Amino acid sequence: MRIGLVGTGRIGAFHAGVLARHPEIEALVLADADGPRAARVAGALGAEAAPSVDALFGHALDAVVIASATAAHAELIGRAAAAGLPAFCEKPIALDVPGTLGALRAVAEAGTELQLGFMRRFDAGYRAAREAVGEGRLGRLHTVRAASSDPAPPPAGYLPLSGGLYRDCMVHDFDMVRWVTGREVVEVYAAGSDAGPAMFREAGDVDTAAALLTLDDGTLVTATATRCNGAGYDVRMELAGELAQLAVGLDERTPLESVEPLGPPPPGKPWPGFLERFAPAYEAELDAFVGLVRGERDNACDGGEALEALRIAEACERSRRERRPVRLAEITSA
């Protein structure tokens, strides 16, 4: 199998390493807007570097992995579809619903496959939580709490391109709420704070946010996120039902310290970032994509799933700006 990968930044280089080690991949071709960077990554992995993205699409490929800057995702999805190639793309498809729908139309018209990079669907803890909910082990689910905390803010130049905290970060939590519970969000009420570094205010973004989500069966969900969690990278989900409670992301590396006399000891080595925390999940999602390309597996996260997570993020942003509850029906997907 020959795979082309576009984008060799941090996540792209990580994906390239995973693909280079995969036993089903015979050849890997890398391209980037920064040609020398693609050449360096390719050289380190024994892969091939195309001189441009156009040149990469000129190769005889079986599939494309898209890990470029967000602004290029929709166009590259369209190019892959036009070439008849299945594509894996890091989230998001686009930063707005119209752009997302345009890319999805291109895929539908071409009859190709598009898998989105919501890696938490492949994390062992989230998968166990989904199984427990599906089997009814918690009883009636009444409360869900989700949290995503980055240890340090991203570079200032990234913020205007990110789409904001809801679309860039919390969209993973929104995807997990739907996937783990099997329910849909019907209403959100969100707030945000830009009291941290000035670069968030300058970008029209927030460094910390919270949202109350109401699911279609009445379950209440709280989701919080921050870019300024100096204790370490912290991603968790708690699910409470009438029969039991469980937690995802609670282990010896969770950057959380108990002040109770009988509480657990503080973490010795907190998670430093998302690549370390979710490395096995990233590998599993690319293995699933290879299986999809080979016709051996179903699509684990198609473009429609990404659209629904984006609609929740859009509703939260509207709620924050307008200071009111927003029904998901207001965020059209037509």
Side-chain angles (χ1 to χ4, degrees), residues 42-92:
L45 297 173
E48 181 180 350
S52 66
V53 175
D54 287 341
L56 179 138
F57 276 99
H59 282 70
L61 300 174
D62 296 300
V64 175
V65 171
I66 300 167
S68 62
T70 296
H73 286 185
E75 177 191 356
L76 290 168
I77 289 169
R79 291 190 67 173
L85 296 173
F88 172 93
C89 184
E90 273 300 323
K91 64 84 186 165

Side-chain angles (χ1 to χ4, degrees), residues 119-139 141 176 179-182 237-240 244-250 277-278 281:
M119 77 291 185
R120 296 187 195 180
R121 291 181 176 226
F122 296 89
D123 176 74
Y126 283 105
R127 294 178 76 87
R130 173 181 163 93
E131 180 179 333
V133 172
E135 293 178 352
R137 300 206 302 265
L138 304 185
L141 192 64
M176 282 299 92
W179 190 72
V180 169
T181 68
M237 174 180 274
E238 299 173 4
L239 299 108
Q245 293 189 95
L246 56 79
V248 177
L250 184 61
R277 166 66 176 84
F278 288 110

Side-chain angles (χ1 to χ4, degrees), residues 5-21 28 30 32 37 41-42 45 67 275:
L5 183 146
V6 182
T8 53
R10 186 181 181 191
I11 189 63
F14 183 90
H15 286 335
V18 172
L19 294 168
R21 297 189 299 270
L28 178 63
L30 311 182
D32 195 296
R37 180 169 68 179
V41 175
L45 297 173
L275 281 180

Side-chain angles (χ1 to χ4, degrees), residues 118 120-121 126 129-130 133 141 143-147 170-188 211-217 219-224 236-239 305 309 312:
F118 282 95
R120 296 187 195 180
R121 291 181 176 226
Y126 283 105
R130 173 181 163 93
V133 172
L141 192 64
T143 306
V144 179
R145 293 176 285 271
M170 295 179 76
V171 70
H172 283 290
D173 295 298
F174 303 149
D175 180 60
M176 282 299 92
V177 167
R178 297 182 63 247
W179 190 72
V180 169
T181 68
R183 314 302 306 193
E184 298 295 340
V185 176
V186 295
E187 185 177 83
V188 309
L212 173 64
L213 317 177
T214 302
L215 305 188
D216 56 12
D217 65 347
T219 301
L220 296 180
V221 180
T222 59
T224 63
R236 281 177 285 130
M237 174 180 274
E238 299 173 4
L239 299 108
E305 299 291 293
I312 300 169

Side-chain angles (χ1 to χ4, degrees), residues 182-207:
R183 314 302 306 193
E184 298 295 340
V185 176
V186 295
E187 185 177 83
V188 309
Y189 188 63
S193 170
D194 61 5
M199 63 182 184
F200 289 96
R201 293 185 291 279
E202 293 165 359
D205 196 4
V206 294
D207 59 79

